PDB file of all heavy atoms in Angstrom:
ATOM      1  N   GLU X 372     -25.951  -2.100 -75.238  1.00 76.00           N
ATOM      2  CA  GLU X 372     -27.367  -2.206 -74.829  1.00 76.00           C
ATOM      3  C   GLU X 372     -27.715  -3.592 -74.285  1.00 76.00           C
ATOM      4  O   GLU X 372     -28.769  -3.786 -73.690  1.00 76.00           O
ATOM      5  CB  GLU X 372     -28.289  -1.799 -75.996  1.00 76.00           C
ATOM      6  CG  GLU X 372     -28.381  -2.765 -77.164  1.00 76.00           C
ATOM      7  CD  GLU X 372     -27.201  -2.660 -78.146  1.00 76.00           C
ATOM      8  OE1 GLU X 372     -26.233  -1.914 -77.866  1.00 76.00           O
ATOM      9  OE2 GLU X 372     -27.253  -3.354 -79.184  1.00 76.00           O
ATOM     10  N   LYS X 373     -26.840  -4.559 -74.493  1.00 78.00           N
ATOM     11  CA  LYS X 373     -27.116  -5.921 -73.997  1.00 78.00           C
ATOM     12  C   LYS X 373     -26.379  -6.229 -72.698  1.00 78.00           C
ATOM     13  O   LYS X 373     -26.538  -7.305 -72.115  1.00 78.00           O
ATOM     14  CB  LYS X 373     -26.669  -6.954 -75.049  1.00 78.00           C
ATOM     15  CG  LYS X 373     -27.408  -6.882 -76.349  1.00 78.00           C
ATOM     16  CD  LYS X 373     -28.199  -8.153 -76.545  1.00 78.00           C
ATOM     17  CE  LYS X 373     -29.015  -8.012 -77.780  1.00 78.00           C
ATOM     18  NZ  LYS X 373     -30.139  -8.594 -78.044  1.00 78.00           N
ATOM     19  N   ARG X 374     -25.552  -5.321 -72.252  1.00 83.00           N
ATOM     20  CA  ARG X 374     -24.732  -5.626 -71.075  1.00 83.00           C
ATOM     21  C   ARG X 374     -25.539  -5.651 -69.784  1.00 83.00           C
ATOM     22  O   ARG X 374     -26.461  -4.856 -69.604  1.00 83.00           O
ATOM     23  CB  ARG X 374     -23.607  -4.585 -70.930  1.00 83.00           C
ATOM     24  CG  ARG X 374     -22.483  -4.872 -71.887  1.00 83.00           C
ATOM     25  CD  ARG X 374     -21.358  -3.864 -71.744  1.00 83.00           C
ATOM     26  NE  ARG X 374     -20.606  -3.859 -72.994  1.00 83.00           N
ATOM     27  CZ  ARG X 374     -19.873  -2.872 -73.448  1.00 83.00           C
ATOM     28  NH1 ARG X 374     -19.759  -1.768 -72.735  1.00 83.00           N
ATOM     29  NH2 ARG X 374     -19.246  -2.973 -74.597  1.00 83.00           N
ATOM     30  N   LEU X 375     -25.138  -6.543 -68.898  1.00 85.00           N
ATOM     31  CA  LEU X 375     -25.740  -6.602 -67.566  1.00 85.00           C
ATOM     32  C   LEU X 375     -25.175  -5.482 -66.721  1.00 85.00           C
ATOM     33  O   LEU X 375     -24.038  -5.063 -66.925  1.00 85.00           O
ATOM     34  CB  LEU X 375     -25.374  -7.920 -66.889  1.00 85.00           C
ATOM     35  CG  LEU X 375     -25.953  -9.195 -67.450  1.00 85.00           C
ATOM     36  CD1 LEU X 375     -25.319 -10.379 -66.751  1.00 85.00           C
ATOM     37  CD2 LEU X 375     -27.454  -9.217 -67.245  1.00 85.00           C
ATOM     38  N   ARG X 376     -25.983  -5.054 -65.748  1.00 86.00           N
ATOM     39  CA  ARG X 376     -25.461  -4.080 -64.791  1.00 86.00           C
ATOM     40  C   ARG X 376     -24.709  -4.876 -63.717  1.00 86.00           C
ATOM     41  O   ARG X 376     -25.315  -5.556 -62.904  1.00 86.00           O
ATOM     42  CB  ARG X 376     -26.635  -3.307 -64.182  1.00 86.00           C
ATOM     43  CG  ARG X 376     -26.225  -2.178 -63.272  1.00 86.00           C
ATOM     44  CD  ARG X 376     -27.444  -1.465 -62.684  1.00 86.00           C
ATOM     45  NE  ARG X 376     -28.087  -0.596 -63.640  1.00 86.00           N
ATOM     46  CZ  ARG X 376     -29.349  -0.719 -64.046  1.00 86.00           C
ATOM     47  NH1 ARG X 376     -30.093  -1.677 -63.589  1.00 86.00           N
ATOM     48  NH2 ARG X 376     -29.869   0.125 -64.910  1.00 86.00           N
ATOM     49  N   LEU X 377     -23.397  -4.849 -63.769  1.00 92.00           N
ATOM     50  CA  LEU X 377     -22.592  -5.617 -62.810  1.00 92.00           C
ATOM     51  C   LEU X 377     -21.937  -4.683 -61.808  1.00 92.00           C
ATOM     52  O   LEU X 377     -21.759  -3.488 -62.080  1.00 92.00           O
ATOM     53  CB  LEU X 377     -21.502  -6.409 -63.544  1.00 92.00           C
ATOM     54  CG  LEU X 377     -21.962  -7.511 -64.502  1.00 92.00           C
ATOM     55  CD1 LEU X 377     -20.766  -8.129 -65.216  1.00 92.00           C
ATOM     56  CD2 LEU X 377     -22.732  -8.594 -63.764  1.00 92.00           C
ATOM     57  N   ARG X 378     -21.537  -5.266 -60.707  1.00 92.00           N
ATOM     58  CA  ARG X 378     -20.794  -4.480 -59.719  1.00 92.00           C
ATOM     59  C   ARG X 378     -19.416  -4.168 -60.299  1.00 92.00           C
ATOM     60  O   ARG X 378     -18.774  -5.045 -60.887  1.00 92.00           O
ATOM     61  CB  ARG X 378     -20.664  -5.330 -58.445  1.00 92.00           C
ATOM     62  CG  ARG X 378     -20.073  -4.599 -57.282  1.00 92.00           C
ATOM     63  CD  ARG X 378     -20.105  -5.452 -56.031  1.00 92.00           C
ATOM     64  NE  ARG X 378     -19.372  -4.802 -54.978  1.00 92.00           N
ATOM     65  CZ  ARG X 378     -19.145  -5.343 -53.790  1.00 92.00           C
ATOM     66  NH1 ARG X 378     -19.615  -6.548 -53.515  1.00 92.00           N
ATOM     67  NH2 ARG X 378     -18.471  -4.700 -52.872  1.00 92.00           N
ATOM     68  N   GLU X 379     -18.978  -2.941 -60.138  1.00 87.00           N
ATOM     69  CA  GLU X 379     -17.736  -2.554 -60.806  1.00 87.00           C
ATOM     70  C   GLU X 379     -16.486  -2.947 -60.041  1.00 87.00           C
ATOM     71  O   GLU X 379     -15.501  -3.374 -60.634  1.00 87.00           O
ATOM     72  CB  GLU X 379     -17.742  -1.045 -61.090  1.00 87.00           C
ATOM     73  CG  GLU X 379     -18.633  -0.727 -62.285  1.00 87.00           C
ATOM     74  CD  GLU X 379     -18.894   0.745 -62.468  1.00 87.00           C
ATOM     75  OE1 GLU X 379     -18.112   1.556 -61.931  1.00 87.00           O
ATOM     76  OE2 GLU X 379     -19.876   1.077 -63.144  1.00 87.00           O
ATOM     77  N   THR X 380     -16.516  -2.804 -58.736  1.00 90.00           N
ATOM     78  CA  THR X 380     -15.323  -3.190 -57.958  1.00 90.00           C
ATOM     79  C   THR X 380     -15.744  -4.066 -56.788  1.00 90.00           C
ATOM     80  O   THR X 380     -16.854  -3.949 -56.269  1.00 90.00           O
ATOM     81  CB  THR X 380     -14.591  -1.963 -57.380  1.00 90.00           C
ATOM     82  OG1 THR X 380     -15.529  -1.224 -56.599  1.00 90.00           O
ATOM     83  CG2 THR X 380     -14.006  -1.089 -58.460  1.00 90.00           C
ATOM     84  N   HIS X 381     -14.847  -4.949 -56.397  1.00 92.00           N
ATOM     85  CA  HIS X 381     -15.105  -5.824 -55.248  1.00 92.00           C
ATOM     86  C   HIS X 381     -13.760  -6.293 -54.707  1.00 92.00           C
ATOM     87  O   HIS X 381     -12.726  -6.129 -55.353  1.00 92.00           O
ATOM     88  CB  HIS X 381     -15.967  -7.017 -55.674  1.00 92.00           C
ATOM     89  CG  HIS X 381     -15.332  -7.867 -56.726  1.00 92.00           C
ATOM     90  ND1 HIS X 381     -14.293  -8.737 -56.451  1.00 92.00           N
ATOM     91  CD2 HIS X 381     -15.546  -7.954 -58.060  1.00 92.00           C
ATOM     92  CE1 HIS X 381     -13.929  -9.341 -57.556  1.00 92.00           C
ATOM     93  NE2 HIS X 381     -14.660  -8.870 -58.559  1.00 92.00           N
ATOM     94  N   GLY X 382     -13.806  -6.916 -53.552  1.00 94.00           N
ATOM     95  CA  GLY X 382     -12.555  -7.345 -52.939  1.00 94.00           C
ATOM     96  C   GLY X 382     -12.261  -8.830 -53.097  1.00 94.00           C
ATOM     97  O   GLY X 382     -11.430  -9.371 -52.368  1.00 94.00           O
ATOM     98  N   PHE X 383     -12.955  -9.488 -54.008  1.00 95.00           N
ATOM     99  CA  PHE X 383     -12.738 -10.933 -54.189  1.00 95.00           C
ATOM    100  C   PHE X 383     -11.529 -11.173 -55.093  1.00 95.00           C
ATOM    101  O   PHE X 383     -11.341 -10.467 -56.084  1.00 95.00           O
ATOM    102  CB  PHE X 383     -13.970 -11.584 -54.831  1.00 95.00           C
ATOM    103  CG  PHE X 383     -15.169 -11.660 -53.923  1.00 95.00           C
ATOM    104  CD1 PHE X 383     -15.917 -10.523 -53.628  1.00 95.00           C
ATOM    105  CD2 PHE X 383     -15.565 -12.862 -53.353  1.00 95.00           C
ATOM    106  CE1 PHE X 383     -17.029 -10.576 -52.796  1.00 95.00           C
ATOM    107  CE2 PHE X 383     -16.671 -12.933 -52.515  1.00 95.00           C
ATOM    108  CZ  PHE X 383     -17.401 -11.784 -52.238  1.00 95.00           C
ATOM    109  N   SER X 384     -10.739 -12.194 -54.764  1.00 94.00           N
ATOM    110  CA  SER X 384      -9.603 -12.528 -55.632  1.00 94.00           C
ATOM    111  C   SER X 384     -10.083 -13.470 -56.743  1.00 94.00           C
ATOM    112  O   SER X 384     -11.133 -14.108 -56.609  1.00 94.00           O
ATOM    113  CB  SER X 384      -8.507 -13.210 -54.819  1.00 94.00           C
ATOM    114  OG  SER X 384      -8.977 -14.479 -54.396  1.00 94.00           O
ATOM    115  N   GLU X 385      -9.315 -13.550 -57.825  1.00 92.00           N
ATOM    116  CA  GLU X 385      -9.611 -14.479 -58.948  1.00 92.00           C
ATOM    117  C   GLU X 385      -9.840 -15.885 -58.425  1.00 92.00           C
ATOM    118  O   GLU X 385     -10.760 -16.578 -58.821  1.00 92.00           O
ATOM    119  CB  GLU X 385      -8.391 -14.524 -59.887  1.00 92.00           C
ATOM    120  CG  GLU X 385      -8.388 -13.512 -60.972  1.00 92.00           C
ATOM    121  CD  GLU X 385      -8.732 -14.128 -62.320  1.00 92.00           C
ATOM    122  OE1 GLU X 385      -8.108 -15.145 -62.689  1.00 92.00           O
ATOM    123  OE2 GLU X 385      -9.635 -13.590 -62.983  1.00 92.00           O
ATOM    124  N   HIS X 386      -8.961 -16.269 -57.506  1.00 93.00           N
ATOM    125  CA  HIS X 386      -8.981 -17.609 -56.937  1.00 93.00           C
ATOM    126  C   HIS X 386     -10.323 -17.920 -56.249  1.00 93.00           C
ATOM    127  O   HIS X 386     -10.821 -19.034 -56.302  1.00 93.00           O
ATOM    128  CB  HIS X 386      -7.804 -17.707 -55.960  1.00 93.00           C
ATOM    129  CG  HIS X 386      -7.870 -18.877 -55.047  1.00 93.00           C
ATOM    130  ND1 HIS X 386      -7.553 -20.145 -55.472  1.00 93.00           N
ATOM    131  CD2 HIS X 386      -8.235 -18.982 -53.746  1.00 93.00           C
ATOM    132  CE1 HIS X 386      -7.707 -20.985 -54.456  1.00 93.00           C
ATOM    133  NE2 HIS X 386      -8.116 -20.308 -53.406  1.00 93.00           N
ATOM    134  N   GLU X 387     -10.927 -16.898 -55.636  1.00 96.00           N
ATOM    135  CA  GLU X 387     -12.190 -17.114 -54.917  1.00 96.00           C
ATOM    136  C   GLU X 387     -13.384 -17.269 -55.856  1.00 96.00           C
ATOM    137  O   GLU X 387     -14.469 -17.640 -55.418  1.00 96.00           O
ATOM    138  CB  GLU X 387     -12.464 -15.933 -53.965  1.00 96.00           C
ATOM    139  CG  GLU X 387     -11.522 -15.882 -52.777  1.00 96.00           C
ATOM    140  CD  GLU X 387     -11.717 -14.608 -51.968  1.00 96.00           C
ATOM    141  OE1 GLU X 387     -11.315 -13.525 -52.460  1.00 96.00           O
ATOM    142  OE2 GLU X 387     -12.268 -14.684 -50.862  1.00 96.00           O
ATOM    143  N   LEU X 388     -13.171 -16.959 -57.140  1.00 97.00           N
ATOM    144  CA  LEU X 388     -14.292 -16.967 -58.079  1.00 97.00           C
ATOM    145  C   LEU X 388     -14.426 -18.292 -58.828  1.00 97.00           C
ATOM    146  O   LEU X 388     -15.182 -18.384 -59.798  1.00 97.00           O
ATOM    147  CB  LEU X 388     -14.158 -15.808 -59.083  1.00 97.00           C
ATOM    148  CG  LEU X 388     -14.079 -14.407 -58.467  1.00 97.00           C
ATOM    149  CD1 LEU X 388     -14.000 -13.342 -59.547  1.00 97.00           C
ATOM    150  CD2 LEU X 388     -15.295 -14.129 -57.577  1.00 97.00           C
TER     151      LEU X 388
END
Side-chain angles (χ1 to χ4, degrees):
E372 72 280 6
K373 297 245 175 208
R374 282 181 203 156
L375 292 173
R376 185 181 284 120
L377 295 176
R378 187 174 172 185
E379 283 169 20
T380 56
H381 60 75
F383 289 74
S384 68
E385 271 255 309
H386 166 77
E387 290 173 288
L388 302 182

